[in-house]
């Protein structure tokens, strides 16, 4: 599903975020990328989603080298993955419902079916009762769950999350982690960058230290 | 409903929502666009009115053939037949002297003068239009008619018509020039309005891109926004012109009445209105397209 082949990413002016990183994930895997702040976890997620391009090496997602994708092909890669970024990128001028609706609007889903899907996604993350609320009225944990609902509403085979439990209290974080476990059990490939590795005790872990993979 | 329709329906609704969401900005934009379009469109309105006013006296050159005062009706009939058979003549119209007298008497100023004259001062006449209205051909034709018996005077009354036509052509070019300049201005106006829109919706654009939106998807609501703004701006211009025409109609009627013209100033015709709205919509769309192109290239 995902393969990194000697991937390096250098930001100007010469800061190495990732160095010679190689790993592989098969479909249905759950992989936790852990490490201290600045270890390159976010960079790894951004490379998979083609938000960043590798300086060298190849990033393959579903057999496709995403580092060499053309601009016009990019949207169709993004549609195949669910993305939960560190700053959740919610739209604060739209309701919870409309935020989750957005990915389906983008793919041109028939409105009626889309509405059912949005309700199902909100139900799955426990926000069914808040669909009319604006994101600003949600707690930190609820906002995180909203971001997850938006990431999974189009039922992607691959779910990426960058620090999904940051700034959450232990109980809320455990709740969010449980949601990811549920998706994994349902067959979704899950890749999570987190320093809360203990929330996912059964998952395979890739430890990063200053951009290098450490066993 | 297919995907295409779903996308366009959504984009159109979004554009309308955004227009309504900031009524004051929208109103000011419409005024700016409306005034910019009203100038060339107003010029076009005036031109077509002038053309209509002159329409009765056609711009195709005519030759007036006046019979000698002592020529009888028989000579006139003979001349009419001769003109009809002439291969270079397209049309000929007979003006009996009695009719001319009546027509001139209808003019208040002339009646008094005519009444003191002992008999009808007007001769029988023919108005001739030629098949070929090149000046050289017409001059030859005039010379030929002058040689005919019982013809007193032949006059080619094309000079003023040609001058008028040249003037109208100049006016038309001025309208096109003005239209071109202001169309460029209009593109600049929408470019800027859409740029502001893009900046306001930057977060949404960024999130949409992360979620797999194509450039087309991102562009669409803005293109509709630009097109709607252009269309509404065109409608504003149309209203401004209609109001101006209404306001000028009575004083202009009064003025022209003093010159014995009956004429009513008309606002833009159907075709001109359609062209105005179409061009306004297209320019708004183009301004949005250029603005979005610039933004998407740099994001």
């Amino acid at each position: 599903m995902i393969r990194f082949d000697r991937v390096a990413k250098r930001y100007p002016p010469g800061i190495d975020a990732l160095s010679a990183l190689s790993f592989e994930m098969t479909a249905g895997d759950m992989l936790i990328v852990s490490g201290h702040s600045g270890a390159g976890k976010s960079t790894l997620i951004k490379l998979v989603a083609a938000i960043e391009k590798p300086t060298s090496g190849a990033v393959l997602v579903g057999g496709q080298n995403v580092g060499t994708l053309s601009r016009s092909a990019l949207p169709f890669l993004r549609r195949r993955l669910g993305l939960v970024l560190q700053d959740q990128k919610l739209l604060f001028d739209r309701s919870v419902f409309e935020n989750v609706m957005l990915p389906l609007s983008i793919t041109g889903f028939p409105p009626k079916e889309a509405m059912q899907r949005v309700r199902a996604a909100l139900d799955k993350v426990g926000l069914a009762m808040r669909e009319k609320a604006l994101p600003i009225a949600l707690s930190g944990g609820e906002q995180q769950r909203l971001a997850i609902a938006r990431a999974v509403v189009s039922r992607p085979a691959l779910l990426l999350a960058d620090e999904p439990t940051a700034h959450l209290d232990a109980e809320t974080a455990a709740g969010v982690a449980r949601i990811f476990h549920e998706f994994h059990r349902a067959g979704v490939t899950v890749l999570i960058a987190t320093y809360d590795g203990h929330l996912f005790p059964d998952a395979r872990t890739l430890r990063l230290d200053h951009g290098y993979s450490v066993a | 409903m297919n995907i295409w329709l779903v996308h366009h329906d959504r984009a159109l609704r979004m554009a309308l929502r955004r227009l309504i969401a900031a009524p004051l900005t929208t109103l000011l934009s419409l005024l700016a666009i409306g005034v910019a379009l009203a100038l060339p469109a107003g010029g076009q309105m005036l031109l077509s009115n002038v053309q209509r006013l002159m329409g009765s006296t056609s711009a195709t050159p005519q030759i007036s053939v006046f019979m000698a005062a002592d020529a009888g009706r028989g000579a006139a009939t003979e001349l009419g037949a001769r003109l009809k058979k002439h291969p270079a003549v397209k049309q000929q119209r007979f003006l009996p002297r009695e009719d001319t007298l009546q027509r001139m008497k209808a003019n208040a100023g002339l009646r008094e003068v005519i009444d003191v004259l002992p008999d009808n001062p007007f001769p029988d006449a023919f108005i001739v239009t030629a098949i070929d209205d090149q000046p050289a051909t017409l001059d030859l034709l005039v010379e030929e008619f002058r040689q005919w018996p019982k013809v007193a005077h032949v006059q080619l009354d094309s000079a003023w018509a040609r001058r008028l036509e040249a003037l109208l052509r100049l006016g038309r070019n001025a309208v096109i020039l003005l239209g071109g300049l202001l169309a460029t201005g209009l593109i600049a106006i929408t470019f800027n309005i859409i740029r502001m829109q893009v900046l306001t919706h930057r977060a949404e654009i960024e999130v949409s891109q992360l979620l797999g939106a194509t450039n087309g998807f991102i562009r669409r609501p803005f293109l509709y926004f630009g097109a709607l703004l252009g269309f509404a701006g065109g409608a504003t211009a149309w209203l401004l012109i209609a109001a101006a025409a209404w306001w000028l109609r009575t004083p202009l009627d009064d003025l022209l009445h003093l010159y014995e013209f009956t004429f009513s100033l008309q606002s833009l015709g159907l075709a001109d209105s359609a062209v105005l709205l179409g061009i306004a919509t297209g320019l708004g769309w183009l301004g949005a397209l250029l603005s979005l192109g610039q933004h998407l290239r740099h994001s």
Side-chain angles (χ1 to χ4, degrees):
Chain A
M1 189 61 138
I2 297 181
R3 194 155 76 88
F4 272 51
D5 191 8
R6 298 194 59 77
V7 172
K9 176 65 188 177
R10 170 175 287 193
Y11 290 109
I15 297 157
D16 289 310
L18 286 177
S19 304
L21 180 66
S22 298
F23 72 91
E24 201 164 342
M25 268 183 96
T26 53
D29 252 358
M30 184 174 198
L31 180 69
I32 303 303
V33 181
S34 70
H36 59 91
S37 171
K41 306 189 296 286
S42 294
T43 303
L44 190 152
I45 298 287
K46 284 177 179 163
L47 285 170
V48 176
I51 297 169
E52 298 283 357
K53 291 196 178 210
T55 312
S56 66
V59 177
L60 295 148
V61 177
Q64 215 170 12
N65 188 340
V66 300
T68 57
L69 273 188
S70 70
R71 276 180 83 105
S72 55
L74 212 54
F76 303 96
L77 166 77
R78 300 257 172 85
R79 288 179 192 186
R80 298 207 319 262
L81 39 95
L83 194 56
V84 182
L85 289 175
Q86 202 166 356
D87 51 338
Q88 300 127 346
K89 306 263 187 214
L90 300 173
L91 294 176
F92 284 88
D93 59 343
R94 305 224 191 156
S95 70
V96 163
F97 188 89
E98 286 167 326
N99 266 280
V100 180
M101 188 66 154
L102 189 56
L104 299 180
S105 298
I106 285 170
T107 46
F109 229 78
K112 233 184 191 157
E113 225 180 301
M115 275 153 82
Q116 289 167 358
R117 278 223 187 178
V118 171
R119 298 230 158 83
L122 285 173
D123 193 43
K124 196 155 245 167
V125 299
L127 285 176
M129 308 300 286
R130 308 297 309 268
E131 65 170 54
K132 287 198 176 67
L134 288 175
I136 198 74
L138 302 182
S139 70
E142 285 172 326
Q143 288 187 4
Q144 195 58 265
R145 282 185 279 152
L146 172 56
I148 296 170
R150 190 182 63 187
V152 299
V153 72
S154 45
R155 299 183 187 161
L158 174 61
L159 185 55
L160 306 174
D162 190 8
E163 301 288 11
T165 57
H167 316 302
L168 299 182
D169 60 69
E171 198 183 325
T172 317
V176 167
R178 199 163 45 240
I179 295 173
F180 281 105
H181 276 301
E182 278 168 24
F183 281 110
H184 175 228
R185 265 198 298 278
V188 177
T189 312
V190 182
L191 175 60
I192 302 173
T194 180
Y195 58 77
D196 277 342
H198 62 87
L199 286 171
F200 308 91
D202 311 326
R204 189 156 72 90
T205 302
L206 173 73
R207 280 192 71 78
L208 291 180
D209 189 5
H210 291 101
Y212 288 91
S213 156
V214 287
Chain B
M1 232 188 323
N2 66 28
I3 293 180
W4 188 87
L5 269 178
V6 169
H7 275 321
H8 281 267
D9 178 61
R10 173 181 178 277
L12 184 60
R13 281 163 197 272
M14 258 172 106
L16 276 171
R17 239 193 335 264
R18 285 175 188 173
L19 276 173
I20 295 164
L24 188 66
T25 317
T26 303
L27 204 68
L28 289 174
S29 309
L30 289 186
L31 264 182
I33 297 170
V35 170
L37 283 172
L39 286 173
Q44 172 60 30
M45 173 198 76
L46 288 180
L47 267 184
S48 57
N49 273 293
V50 171
Q51 238 164 348
R52 210 160 48 82
L53 182 63
M54 299 305 164
S56 47
T57 49
S58 91
T60 48
Q62 292 179 332
I63 301 171
S64 306
V65 180
F66 298 99
M67 306 286 294
D70 61 348
R73 192 45 46 91
T77 322
E78 210 172 290
L79 193 81
R82 198 168 168 188
L83 280 171
K84 205 174 249 170
K85 271 188 279 182
H86 198 286
V89 171
K90 187 162 116 195
Q91 211 178 3
Q92 48 103 6
R93 190 156 55 92
F94 179 55
L95 294 177
R97 49 196 303 204
E98 298 79 16
D99 291 7
T100 313
L101 183 71
Q102 288 307 314
R103 208 172 59 243
M104 292 300 173
K105 269 188 171 172
N107 186 313
L110 282 173
R111 187 186 311 146
E112 286 162 33
V113 182
I114 292 166
D115 281 347
V116 298
L117 291 171
D119 36 41
N120 187 352
F122 302 106
D124 285 330
F126 288 89
I127 307 291
V128 180
T129 42
I131 289 169
D132 177 9
D133 61 0
Q134 291 303 308
T137 328
L138 289 172
D139 286 343
L140 280 176
L141 216 52
V142 167
E143 279 311 309
E144 186 188 338
F145 292 163
R146 275 198 184 127
Q147 311 300 321
W148 289 6
K150 299 286 182 192
V151 169
H153 184 63
V154 181
Q155 191 182 321
L156 179 63
D157 49 4
S158 69
W160 72 271
R162 279 163 195 262
R163 265 180 229 137
L164 181 74
E165 217 176 45
L167 214 66
L168 280 176
R169 220 171 13 245
L170 179 70
R172 208 169 295 130
N173 282 3
V175 165
I176 289 170
L177 187 71
L178 195 66
L181 281 175
L182 289 166
T184 317
L186 199 142
I187 293 176
I189 294 174
T190 28
F191 185 95
N192 247 338
I193 294 172
I194 300 291
R195 207 166 62 100
M196 301 291 282
Q197 280 283 319
V198 167
L199 292 181
T200 318
H201 294 96
R202 203 156 47 180
E204 188 182 324
I205 293 174
E206 190 198 342
V207 170
S208 299
Q209 281 175 328
L210 282 174
L211 294 174
T214 57
N215 281 351
F217 178 86
I218 290 167
R219 233 180 336 234
R220 213 169 284 124
F222 292 101
L223 292 182
Y224 269 110
F225 186 92
L228 282 174
L229 201 64
F231 181 81
T236 309
W238 190 91
L239 285 175
L240 286 175
I241 292 167
W246 173 82
W247 194 61
L248 291 175
R249 187 169 299 146
T250 315
L252 191 70
D253 279 0
D254 292 348
L255 178 74
L256 288 174
H257 200 72
L258 296 176
Y259 289 90
E260 305 274 327
F261 279 112
T262 45
F263 179 73
S264 170
L265 187 67
Q266 297 292 313
S267 187
L268 286 175
L270 203 63
D272 282 342
S273 304
V275 168
L276 170 66
L277 290 177
I279 286 182
T281 309
L283 290 176
W285 181 87
L286 186 63
L289 186 72
L290 293 174
S291 191
L292 258 291
Q294 195 229 18
H295 180 83
L296 291 175
R297 260 197 311 281
H298 293 104
S299 67

